[in-house]
Amino acid sequence: MWLALTLALTAQAQARTLHFAADTEPSRALTIYGVLDAPQVRPLLSDFHRRHPDIAIDYHNLETLALHARVLQERDAPRADVIMSPAMPWQYQLANEGLSSTVDSPAAADWPSWARWRQELFGFTFEPIVMVYRRDLARHMTPPQSHADLLSLLRQHPRMLDHRVVTYDPRRSGAGYTYAIEDARISARYWDLVEALGNSHSVLETTTAAMLEGLSQGRYWIGYNLIGSYVQDYVAEHPELVMVVPKDYALVLQRLVMMSRDAPHPDTARRFIDYLLSASAQRLLATQTTLGAVHPSVDGAGTAADLRDRLGEAIRPVQIGPGLLATLDTLKRQTLLEQWQQAFDNRPTHADGPLADPSPLPDAATE
């Protein structure tokens, strides 16, 4: 029994780590902490390794808050050279606290101003936040095409949709909290939607992958606020599911990459970030992944320019700037999470993971 458990845990750890050995001697090292699953990140790492066979790469795939907590724990002796995450407020906070380093290169200086902060934090993807529904939902009701449609369905069919809708838990997911705070800023009816989600006992998850699995298995009928880049790949292999980019407005996240202050291997860190910002890497993003390219010289399907052309004013990218830091204000964070708690009739959504610093979560036991 213990052997089986050990093997299972080892396999799980290996599944969340990618290693590319150096092909030449002497070799150099590069350690990356990221929130990007293997199918999406492997093409990038493989191409970079092909271009730089003397660099041994260790990539560690973490959840958003776990990554943030680990970087804070290692702030005095960083182990990661490069950090990349879609939890934009937390990434900005790390950079704002001086835990990033300047990337002094032409590629960094020329990166679009709307997709970077100084020359330390760079948005290298362009990913819409979407809804997903099961194709057979149409037998019961008209599938939602917008946030307003979802609110109407939840109000019209509360019993039929009871425990059948899934979304992110903003208490346990940094990305989920980001979408919640942005939705609340954009939509005057956001809290009506949260109340309707609570009344229908919607299920709260911490990853898009968990939501997609539940949708595919039929446990959920509708998913709200999933990361579109993951959804697109998954839906292509699961015809029972349909992806919807909301017509009223669509949040767009960017994965933010930075070089650690006092990175153990600063030369390889700079080289990797320069690679991510290159036209070749961005073209790979557009053609071999669903992450969305940002580079202005890369056009066609799978680019920010294409998404803007198709959706126009409905596109609402999360802005990189001081506004992100404001979303982590302790009072603002507690207020939003308490409103979620009330909407869900005080059902426990306990935080797991060490995020007491810098933004303590409210104590569910005392609410």
Side-chain angles (χ1 to χ4, degrees):
M1 177 178 176
W2 285 110
L3 177 60
L5 178 60
T6 300
L7 291 173
L9 291 174
T10 301
Q12 183 180 23
Q14 290 174 342
R16 300 187 66 84
T17 303
L18 294 177
H19 177 71
F20 293 78
D23 295 338
T24 63
E25 291 292 343
S27 64
R28 296 180 291 167
L30 172 66
T31 299
I32 304 169
Y33 289 173
V35 184
L36 189 54
D37 290 346
Q40 296 278 20
V41 77
R42 186 177 281 111
L44 285 169
L45 298 181
S46 296
D47 187 56
F48 178 76
H49 187 255
R50 180 180 62 81
R51 297 168 185 270
H52 304 283
D54 62 319
I55 298 178
I57 307 169
D58 281 308
Y59 172 78
H60 301 269
N61 186 28
L62 305 163
E63 291 191 7
T64 52
L65 299 189
L67 179 147
H68 184 81
R70 181 176 294 189
V71 172
L72 290 177
Q73 290 166 0
E74 298 173 358
R75 66 187 303 159
D76 294 328
R79 298 181 184 177
D81 301 299
V82 172
I83 302 162
M84 51 190 191
S85 170
M88 296 174 67
W90 280 269
Q91 283 288 89
Y92 184 87
Q93 184 185 62
L94 292 175
N96 189 66
E97 289 188 2
L99 298 184
S100 61
S101 290
T102 298
V103 179
D104 188 12
S105 70
D110 292 342
W111 198 241
S113 59
W114 59 267
R116 65 178 168 92
W117 180 72
R118 300 177 179 173
Q119 282 181 231
E120 299 181 36
L121 196 60
F122 306 90
F124 68 98
T125 67
F126 201 76
E127 306 170 55
I129 306 306
V130 304
M131 293 189 287
V132 178
Y133 65 84
R134 288 186 58 84
R135 198 173 294 276
D136 53 12
L137 180 72
R139 297 205 306 261
H140 306 283
M141 61 193 75
T142 302
Q145 301 297 316
S146 67
H147 297 83
D149 289 348
L150 178 59
L151 175 58
S152 295
L153 291 182
L154 288 166
R155 286 178 167 176
Q156 294 170 12
H157 307 283
R159 291 189 178 181
M160 190 174 294
L161 292 176
D162 193 60
H163 293 96
R164 295 291 191 177
V165 180
V166 64
T167 189
Y168 270 105
D169 187 340
R171 297 172 65 100
R172 298 191 293 150
S173 165
Y177 174 76
T178 303
Y179 312 149
I181 203 87
E182 290 294 321
D183 275 335
R185 182 180 60 82
I186 291 171
S187 174
R189 304 195 70 188
Y190 173 67
W191 289 110
D192 293 334
L193 178 56
V194 174
E195 182 180 0
L197 289 168
N199 289 339
S200 65
H201 303 98
S202 297
V203 179
L204 303 179
E205 295 279 10
T206 60
T207 65
T208 288
M211 289 188 261
L212 288 170
E213 181 180 357
L215 285 158
S216 182
Q217 293 173 350
R219 287 186 284 119
Y220 314 133
W221 291 359
I222 301 173
Y224 164 60
N225 270 7
L226 289 77
I227 299 176
S229 54
Y230 292 162
V231 171
Q232 191 172 331
D233 273 346
Y234 194 90
V235 167
E237 298 178 358
H238 293 80
E240 70 276 10
L241 303 181
V242 178
M243 181 180 87
V244 174
V245 180
K247 293 181 177 179
D248 44 2
Y249 72 89
L251 292 176
V252 179
L253 70 87
Q254 290 188 277
R255 290 173 197 271
L256 301 183
V257 63
M258 71 184 202
M259 180 172 75
S260 297
R261 182 191 69 193
D262 301 326
H265 313 101
D267 290 341
T268 58
R270 289 190 188 93
R271 193 173 292 271
F272 181 72
I273 291 178
D274 261 5
Y275 165 76
L276 287 181
L277 305 184
S278 69
S280 56
Q282 290 284 303
R283 194 169 293 110
L284 185 152
L285 282 175
T287 58
Q288 296 187 36
T289 79
T290 53
L291 295 170
V294 176
H295 199 292
S297 73
V298 179
D299 55 18
T303 66
D306 176 65
L307 195 61
R308 290 183 189 277
D309 288 344
R310 288 191 290 112
L311 299 179
E313 293 300 316
I315 289 295
R316 303 294 179 88
V318 179
Q319 299 298 311
I320 304 173
L324 288 174
L325 200 59
T327 67
L328 295 184
D329 174 78
T330 300
L331 180 59
K332 179 180 293 236
R333 180 176 169 82
Q334 289 179 341
T335 299
L336 182 137
L337 296 179
E338 286 169 0
Q339 286 183 263
W340 263 79
Q341 188 76 15
Q342 292 169 7
F344 278 71
D345 297 324
N346 291 322
R347 292 191 296 117
T349 54
H350 300 294
D352 63 348
L355 196 67
D357 179 24
S359 301
L361 300 174
D363 184 356
T366 63
E367 291 177 352

